[in-house]
Amino acid sequence: MINFYTTYYANIDNVPKKSVIVPISRVVPDFVRERLDVVIVKDNFIAPHEDLLNDIKSGKINEKEYKDRYVKQICDYINGNYKFNDLSDWAKAVDNHYGYDYDNIVLVCYEGPGKFCHRHIFSKLLGLYGIECEELPCKKGDNIKCQIFLRVN
């Protein structure tokens, strides 16, 4: 089975070789779009819906409400998609599609490690189905670059 990881855009240069980089944000930075190893997913069900993002940013909902709505978003997609019974079926489909040529799928968005983010929620959902999904660490010396990127964006 292919390995699943998460990270954030500032850490993208630390993604291991033989990885497919999959942006899971509503907007993808230009420097990411220009890379040859990035797969832009047309039906990006992992990205939170725009109204969910607006509600958390405006303070209309708290983190728990965000999490509940985000999990419902993922479940609604999986339940409405005739190909998948659950996230393990989705992971098998990803493995079947990419597993022969790549070792890793890396799900990428904006928030740095330790910050509240949908990718951490999605990672935990995968874990409920026995699919490990770890956060890629920054390499030593890259922490400053990562921190600067996060403050600028």
Side-chain angles (χ1 to χ4, degrees), residues 45-108:
F45 77 96
I46 303 171
H49 293 155
E50 191 170 353
D51 62 328
L52 181 56
L53 286 174
N54 290 338
D55 287 351
I56 190 79
K57 287 179 182 179
S58 70
K60 185 176 178 182
I61 61 172
N62 61 30
E63 289 180 0
K64 183 191 178 321
E65 292 167 313
Y66 178 98
K67 179 182 171 187
D68 292 344
R69 283 177 52 188
Y70 179 72
V71 168
K72 182 178 180 334
Q73 172 189 317
I74 298 299
C75 292
D76 286 350
Y77 175 85
I78 294 296
N79 292 334
N81 189 322
Y82 64 92
K83 297 178 193 171
F84 311 125
N85 291 320
D86 56 35
L87 281 177
S88 62
D89 282 354
W90 172 81
K92 287 175 194 165
V94 169
D95 186 46
N96 289 337
H97 189 76
Y98 294 109
Y100 297 107
D101 299 320
Y102 298 95
D103 296 332
N104 311 300
I105 296 291
V106 183
L107 307 171
V108 188

Side-chain angles (χ1 to χ4, degrees), residues 5-17 19 21 35 37 104 106 136-143 145-146:
Y5 295 97
T6 61
T7 196
Y8 54 112
Y9 291 121
N11 196 36
I12 204 165
D13 289 336
N14 294 325
V15 169
K17 294 198 182 323
S19 295
I21 298 170
R35 293 177 61 119
D37 55 353
N104 311 300
V106 183
L136 287 176
C138 269
K139 289 184 179 174
K140 286 189 176 182
D142 283 346
N143 283 332
K145 178 181 83 172
C146 294

